[in-house]
Amino acid sequence: MVVTPELLSAFPILKPLPRPALEQLAEHSTVKKFARRGIVLTAGEQEDSVCFLFEGRLQGVDFTIDGREVGLFFVEPGDFCGELGLFDDGPQSEFVIALTAAVVVFTPKEALRQIMAKNPGMLNILGSKLAARVRQMTFQRSLLGLPNIAQRVCCQLWMLVPERDKADGKSEQHAANSMIANPPTHMEIAIMLNISRETVTRVFQSLQNRQIVKRDGPAKLLISDLNLLKRYAEGSDELG
Amino acid sequence: MVVTPELLSAFPILKPLPRPALEQLAEHSTVKKFARRGIVLTAGEQEDSVCFLFEGRLQGVDFTIDGREVGLFFVEPGDFCGELGLFDDGPQSEFVIALTAAVVVFTPKEALRQIMAKNPGMLNILGSKLAARVRQMTFQRSLLGLPNIAQRVCCQLWMLVPERDKADGKSEQHAANSMIANPPTHMEIAIMLNISRETVTRVFQSLQNRQIVKRDGPAKLLISDLNLLKRYAEGSDELG
DNA sequence: CAATGCCAGTGATTTCAATCACACCAGACT
DNA sequence: AGTCTGGTGTGATTGAAATCACTGGCATTG
């Protein structure tokens, strides 16, 4: 499928690039569609592309020595993954799989490297992205230290709330609400948090009983009370 | 205290730098000594130096929302930390504390940035270091997925074995041995692995009973049988 | 249309590490 | 010497989450 410069400029990191650079990138990029469970990047492989997610949701996963699946991060539309290879020529550090049907733009590392070399702004942006990744991993690790499992789930849920809704309702009196599109399955959340699928289910039940979240079909999770969710995430309140 | 170019060139990443660059860095660098438990870098602060560890052992730590300490990584002599700030101007992502008395060289970010800009080799090296950091965090995360706690401890222990000794004894028949200088306390290992201090103690007892490790004063931990330790780490054998 | 597979929900049971509550030891300090 | 402190060693108890073993719903597919 053809990739246009316009498509690329839909991604925040690429947006500031000059038109010729975008054209150059577009020329070498390809779009690929993945079905649920499709493997986008393979750990250990010498992947030669960076993946920009246009639609859907991806998850970085790894496996323990004894074969258990471990969830590392989620990738939301507009974000990208596989950027580690831009900085060294090591292997891809983890698997990236599609949690939902997904549309991904593959841009060769080499093309991006050339842009990076010419374009110090780009270098900075990619550098801060990598730094952000480290910060995010650090946060995720600190989640695992929480002894209260329900709090862990609430934190993870909070992170899935769209950014624009988070600020909402700070001053407002009524219960601010939001929606998570294509939410991960209980299992997918479980491996992120090092807990069992059943435990995630039970926490969700508890949240539903308290009218804090609500399922709306398989592709939508409504958050009825953002403030309350946040309180649970922060530990100000405890889920019995 | 005065920092000489020779001192700096003791660090693998700085070694390939041309002499003038080293001189420039040395001029702006300072040495600082820390006592055990000293705080080298503070999370949230806008730290303006990269820390090269000359002697001792450091640990990156974070805290959960409810105040528990979480161990992130160890820093060994010859390695460095606080490099995230080279790539963006965000705050230091975690605390770094001295586990033993330590000698640390502080080199201002600005000086390093200048070198980086002039010196594409340096950029690559720092880039791959950051990439290595991500890989290392990914691995550490996967450790936490191990259901067998003893195995976790053995993996962590294995990672503390000096690199040069690891290859050893692959072909040899006799039990290859090694030594970990200034090993972390049980508590410090515990927070890395999300387990309690007592549990670490019990695993160590078990390892000592099997003559796999042996204390030699507080500053030395002897590994009497590297191969066996590795087998436990890999899960080929189980510690009752 | 069965038929299959995947996801979610739920009770019963088990297990195993956290916690608590100590004792002990070595080194630092007075 | 005496006293503190920080690290370690150990047993008893307990509690919370994993596991097991199901049910049932919904969607895809032959």
Side-chain angles (χ1 to χ4, degrees), chain B residues 67-84:
Chain B
R68 277 165 194 249
E69 212 176 1
V70 170
L72 298 169
F73 54 84
F74 294 120
V75 183
E76 317 275 335
D79 210 344
F80 57 101
C81 60
E83 79 280 12
L84 223 57

Side-chain angles (χ1 to χ4, degrees), chain B residues 4 7-8 16 24 26 39-40 42 52 80 91 107 120 123 135 154 166 169 176 197 202 208 213-214 219 225:
Chain B
T4 63
L7 179 65
L8 288 184
Q24 192 192 332
I39 298 178
V40 181
T42 307
F52 292 88
F80 57 101
T107 302
L123 185 63
R135 292 209 176 80
C154 291
K166 283 189 188 169
R197 198 267 310 162
R202 288 189 243 263
Q208 263 155 14
V213 308
K214 192 162 171 303
D225 191 337

Side-chain angles (χ1 to χ4, degrees), chain A residues 42-234:
Chain A
T42 307
E45 289 284 299
Q46 179 76 37
E47 297 284 354
D48 61 353
S49 291
V50 174
C51 297
F52 293 86
L53 179 61
F54 195 65
E55 238 181 81
R57 190 194 301 277
L58 310 180
Q59 182 177 36
V61 300
D62 196 0
F63 293 87
T64 61
I65 304 174
D66 69 335
R68 276 165 195 250
E69 210 175 1
V70 171
L72 298 169
F73 54 84
F74 293 120
V75 184
E76 316 276 336
D79 211 344
F80 56 99
C81 60
E83 79 281 13
L84 223 58
L86 288 172
F87 294 89
D88 72 353
D89 283 308
Q92 170 64 22
S93 56
E94 71 281 321
F95 289 89
V96 176
I97 59 176
L99 296 189
T100 67
V103 180
V104 180
V105 180
F106 280 74
T107 302
K109 287 198 310 197
E110 255 334 298
L112 272 166
R113 280 229 186 98
Q114 284 173 27
I115 307 274
M116 269 168 86
K118 273 187 236 146
N119 215 314
M122 187 65 184
L123 185 63
N124 279 336
I125 290 172
L126 284 165
S128 8
K129 178 64 204 314
L130 199 48
R133 167 92 178 269
V134 171
R135 293 210 174 81
Q136 134 74 17
M137 288 182 81
T138 302
F139 179 77
Q140 191 72 31
R141 169 64 184 86
S142 82
L143 274 194
L144 301 186
L146 285 174
N148 182 336
I149 263 72
Q151 197 182 353
R152 266 194 236 176
V153 176
C154 291
C155 279
Q156 190 73 60
L157 217 43
W158 179 251
M159 305 234 298
L160 288 167
V161 171
E163 218 39 65
R164 63 180 146 69
D165 293 345
K166 283 189 187 168
D168 235 47
K170 273 206 180 132
S171 53
E172 306 176 36
Q173 292 308 309
H174 70 91
N177 61 352
S178 176
M179 193 257 284
I180 298 173
N182 298 318
T185 64
H186 293 179
M187 190 61 196
E188 284 148 6
I189 293 175
I191 62 170
M192 292 286 287
L193 299 175
N194 244 16
I195 55 184
S196 71
R197 198 267 311 162
E198 290 91 330
T199 302
V200 176
T201 299
R202 287 189 242 265
V203 173
F204 266 81
Q205 275 316 97
S206 191
L207 285 171
Q208 263 155 13
N209 290 340
R210 283 151 212 255
Q211 321 247 345
I212 297 168
V213 307
K214 191 162 171 304
R215 272 231 97 105
D216 180 15
K220 275 189 199 168
L221 184 70
L222 300 175
I223 317 277
S224 323
D225 192 336
L226 273 174
N227 294 324
L228 212 41
L229 177 65
K230 194 171 173 212
R231 287 180 60 80
Y232 286 127
E234 286 168 350

Side-chain angles (χ1 to χ4, degrees), chain B residues 144-227:
Chain B
L144 301 186
L146 286 174
N148 182 335
I149 263 70
Q151 196 181 353
R152 266 193 236 175
V153 177
C154 291
C155 279
Q156 189 74 60
L157 216 43
W158 178 252
M159 305 234 299
L160 288 167
V161 171
E163 219 38 67
R164 65 181 143 68
D165 293 345
K166 283 189 188 169
D168 235 45
K170 276 212 179 125
S171 53
E172 305 176 39
Q173 293 308 308
H174 70 91
N177 61 351
S178 176
M179 193 258 283
I180 298 173
N182 298 317
T185 65
H186 293 178
M187 189 61 195
E188 284 148 7
I189 293 174
I191 61 169
M192 292 286 288
L193 300 175
N194 244 15
I195 55 185
S196 72
R197 198 267 310 162
E198 290 91 329
T199 302
V200 176
T201 299
R202 288 189 243 263
V203 173
F204 267 81
Q205 274 318 97
S206 191
L207 285 171
Q208 263 155 14
N209 290 340
R210 281 151 212 255
Q211 322 246 346
I212 297 168
V213 308
K214 192 162 171 303
R215 272 232 97 105
D216 180 15
K220 276 188 199 169
L221 183 72
L222 300 176
I223 317 278
S224 323
D225 191 337
L226 273 174
N227 295 325

Side-chain angles (χ1 to χ4, degrees), chain B residues 14-186:
Chain B
L14 299 177
K15 188 151 192 142
L17 283 181
R19 178 82 191 182
L22 281 177
E23 277 165 8
Q24 192 192 332
L25 280 182
E27 201 179 317
H28 296 98
S29 300
T30 52
V31 176
K32 248 173 128 176
K33 290 188 183 179
F34 289 89
R36 176 163 170 68
R37 305 233 150 282
I39 298 178
V40 181
L41 292 170
T42 307
E45 290 284 301
Q46 179 76 38
E47 298 283 353
D48 62 352
S49 291
V50 174
C51 297
F52 292 88
L53 179 62
F54 195 65
E55 239 181 79
R57 189 194 300 277
L58 310 180
Q59 182 176 36
V61 299
D62 196 0
F63 293 87
T64 61
I65 304 173
D66 69 335
R68 277 165 194 249
E69 212 176 1
V70 170
L72 298 169
F73 54 84
F74 294 120
V75 183
E76 317 275 335
D79 210 344
F80 57 101
C81 60
E83 79 280 12
L84 223 57
L86 287 173
F87 294 88
D88 73 352
D89 283 308
Q92 170 65 21
S93 56
E94 71 282 321
F95 289 89
V96 176
I97 59 175
L99 295 188
T100 67
V103 181
V104 180
V105 181
F106 280 74
T107 302
K109 287 198 311 196
E110 255 333 299
L112 271 167
R113 282 231 186 96
Q114 283 173 28
I115 308 273
M116 268 168 86
K118 272 188 237 144
N119 214 315
M122 187 66 183
L123 185 63
N124 279 336
I125 291 172
L126 284 165
S128 8
K129 177 64 202 318
L130 198 49
R133 166 92 178 271
V134 171
R135 292 209 176 80
Q136 134 73 18
M137 288 182 82
T138 302
F139 179 78
Q140 190 72 32
R141 169 64 184 85
S142 82
L143 275 195
L144 301 186
L146 286 174
N148 182 335
I149 263 70
Q151 196 181 353
R152 266 193 236 175
V153 177
C154 291
C155 279
Q156 189 74 60
L157 216 43
W158 178 252
M159 305 234 299
L160 288 167
V161 171
E163 219 38 67
R164 65 181 143 68
D165 293 345
K166 283 189 188 169
D168 235 45
K170 276 212 179 125
S171 53
E172 305 176 39
Q173 293 308 308
H174 70 91
N177 61 351
S178 176
M179 193 258 283
I180 298 173
N182 298 317
T185 65
H186 293 178

